[in-house]
């Protein structure tokens, strides 16, 4: 898992010795986007692997944080 922040900083999410973030079912993009604090989008495996390996760098592609209604 990676997080891309509004300032385009990339953070790799890992836990030492654990292959998966969680054993719980992963919510869909639509379910994640119901939360006011997050915005998820689908990317390709290749895009993910490139971003995952660039931990700490800036995300240079198009990024949009839509305004959500409270």
């Amino acid at each position: 898992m990676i997080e891309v922040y509004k300032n385009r900083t990339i953070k790799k999410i890992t836990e030492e010795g654990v292959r998966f973030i969680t054993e719980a079912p992963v919510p869909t993009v639509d379910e994640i986007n119901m939360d006011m604090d997050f915005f998820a989008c689908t990317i390709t495996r290749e895009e993910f692997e490139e971003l995952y390996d660039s931990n700490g760098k800036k995300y240079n592609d198009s990024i949009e944080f839509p305004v959500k209604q409270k």
Side-chain angles (χ1 to χ4, degrees), residues 4 7-8 22 25-26 30 34 42 45 48 50 52 60 63:
V4 179
N7 69 359
R8 298 179 179 269
T22 181
V26 176
D30 289 338
M34 291 173 66
T42 303
R45 179 184 184 132
F48 174 81
E50 182 179 335
Y52 192 78
N60 294 318
I63 189 166

Side-chain angles (χ1 to χ4, degrees), residues 7-62:
N7 69 359
R8 298 179 179 269
T9 302
I10 298 168
K11 181 179 179 187
K12 182 188 317 187
I13 307 301
T14 61
E15 187 175 332
E16 190 68 32
V18 178
R19 290 184 56 199
F20 303 99
I21 296 298
T22 181
E23 293 181 7
V26 176
T28 67
V29 169
D30 289 338
E31 290 171 331
I32 292 169
N33 288 336
M34 291 173 66
D35 188 316
M36 297 298 292
D37 295 326
F38 298 98
F39 176 70
C41 66
T42 303
I43 61 174
T44 67
R45 179 184 184 132
E46 292 78 19
E47 289 173 305
F48 174 81
E49 289 177 357
E50 182 179 335
L51 292 169
Y52 192 78
D53 291 337
S54 68
N55 191 39
K57 296 184 181 176
K58 296 284 185 172
Y59 182 75
N60 294 318
D61 291 334
S62 175

